[in-house]
Amino acid sequence: WDFLILFFCLPVVIFNEITKKRLLGDVSCRIVPFMEVSSLGVTTFSLCALGIDRFHAATSPQASARPIEQCQSIIAKLAVIWVGSMLLSVPEILLWQLAQDTSPVSGVVTEFCTMKPSPSLPESIYSLVLTYQNARMWWYFGCYFCLPILFTLSCQLVTRRASSTQQKGECRGAKPSQCESHLNCTIIGLSVVYGLCATPENICNIVVAYLSPDMARQTLDLLSLINQFFLFFKCSVTPVLLLCLCRPLGQAFMDCCCCCCAGCGPDAASSEGSADSKLKTEMSSSIFFDKPRESPPPLLTLGTPC
């Protein structure tokens, strides 16, 4: 989802700031906020799911030999996180619309997105969107800021307490505990980056909610732009941080990149063939030495007593 934000929302925002025209018109005014809020939901619920996973890993009776989770289970969890985040962001599609303003000095028509529900909506949906607009600031602060930070902090505290209690009762190996500590550091790093990038947005939302009648539209647009670029910064830093802190994932990513670069080279086929022949030779030699011989091979008679 971070890559979707960078590849779709970032060019739209930059194009709008340069040309003062909204790329894709009213569609981008609705889709860009929807994807940005969905990104907050995906990050929030992913951090909560990772915290629960670390707690289960720390309290599992067989923590040193836990089975690898099946792909179907991981896909189901990701589907719940993504679909849930997108459903919670649906009001953003109905809340925003495209507006135009003419500069009194230059007479240039500028396009901007305004937070105003369309009067053509049904009355029940219109009232729900208005309720969402009035509670949007506190919903942002409670669900997309306080929930992941407090949830991750509480899960880390409970996990550390459970791990220390379990280590007092039985001696655990150094390798599993080191792997668990790397995963815990990864989750803490992701939470810190998310908290630092989400704090300015929540402060701006609170300021705009209480001081918007006294602020100029240029100031509101500048605050909105700052919030968006903090989101873009979070989306660009999170994958890099994840690859750097999570060593198995980073090593797998580097191996994949090296394999792709090697596959594009001219000697890829010959090197691959030599690697395969070497692997076959090693396998045949290992099979030859590991498998005991049942009987000695028969001697060939060549016409001499020897």
Side-chain angles (χ1 to χ4, degrees):
W1 199 273
D2 290 335
F3 286 116
L4 290 177
I5 293 293
L6 293 176
F7 290 142
F8 180 78
C9 298
L10 181 59
V12 172
V13 174
I14 294 178
F15 182 83
N16 183 39
E17 291 301 317
I18 294 176
T19 63
K20 300 303 179 181
K21 298 291 183 180
R22 197 70 186 182
L23 188 65
L24 301 179
D26 188 66
V27 176
S28 64
C29 280
R30 300 176 185 271
I31 297 299
V32 170
F34 169 76
M35 295 185 65
E36 292 176 349
V37 177
S38 298
S39 174
L40 299 178
V42 168
T43 306
T44 296
F45 300 135
S46 297
L47 289 175
C48 294
L50 291 174
I52 295 175
D53 179 75
R54 293 296 90 216
F55 175 75
H56 283 310
T59 57
S60 176
Q62 298 179 352
S64 59
R66 290 184 293 112
I68 299 178
E69 190 173 2
Q70 295 182 357
C71 183
Q72 292 81 0
S73 176
I74 298 176
I75 292 177
K77 292 179 181 179
L78 291 177
V80 170
I81 291 174
W82 280 41
V83 173
S85 302
M86 294 171 68
L87 288 178
L88 291 177
S89 306
V90 169
E92 296 288 332
I93 300 178
L94 305 176
L95 183 62
W96 294 86
Q97 61 179 342
L98 184 66
Q100 294 181 350
D101 188 17
T102 304
S103 176
V105 179
S106 59
V108 178
V109 178
T110 59
E111 297 179 348
F112 61 96
C113 297
T114 179
M115 192 184 300
K116 182 179 179 181
S118 176
S120 60
L121 293 174
E123 184 177 357
S124 58
I125 298 179
Y126 184 80
S127 61
L128 289 176
V129 174
L130 282 180
T131 304
Y132 174 80
Q133 181 181 1
N134 295 329
R136 186 174 183 268
M137 182 264 295
W138 294 112
W139 170 253
Y140 258 60
F141 182 73
C143 182
Y144 297 139
F145 182 76
C146 294
L147 178 62
I149 301 300
L150 296 179
F151 196 92
T152 303
L153 181 62
S154 60
C155 283
Q156 289 296 320
L157 293 177
V158 175
T159 301
R160 289 181 180 274
R161 184 176 181 84
S163 300
S164 61
T165 304
Q166 188 174 3
Q167 287 179 357
K168 290 180 181 179
E170 58 181 357
C171 182
R172 300 177 60 184
K175 188 175 181 180
S177 60
Q178 185 179 5
C179 180
E180 297 296 330
S181 64
H182 281 312
L183 294 175
N184 290 331
C185 291
T186 302
I187 298 176
I188 293 175
L190 294 175
S191 301
V192 170
V193 170
Y194 179 73
L196 292 177
C197 294
T199 299
E201 181 177 4
N202 287 275
I203 294 176
C204 292
N205 288 336
I206 295 174
V207 171
V208 170
Y210 290 102
L211 300 178
S212 58
D214 301 331
M215 299 175 65
R217 190 176 64 84
Q218 290 77 11
T219 305
L220 297 177
D221 293 341
L222 179 61
L223 293 177
S224 176
L225 184 64
I226 293 175
N227 295 336
Q228 286 181 322
F229 274 99
F230 268 106
L231 177 62
F232 298 148
F233 177 76
K234 189 268 298 180
C235 292
S236 59
V237 169
T238 299
V240 178
L241 182 67
L242 189 61
L243 293 176
C244 293
L245 292 181
C246 189
R247 295 182 180 179
L249 182 61
Q251 185 63 37
F253 181 78
M254 294 302 297
D255 293 341
C256 181
C257 291
C258 293
C259 290
C260 293
C261 293
C264 297
D267 298 331
S270 59
S271 61
E272 185 178 358
S274 61
D276 291 340
S277 62
K278 183 179 179 181
L279 180 60
K280 291 179 181 179
T281 305
E282 292 177 355
M283 291 178 62
S284 61
S285 62
S286 63
I287 294 174
F288 179 79
F289 286 108
D290 293 339
K291 182 178 180 181
R293 295 182 179 181
E294 298 178 356
S295 60
L299 295 177
L300 299 178
T301 57
L302 300 177
T304 59
C306 296

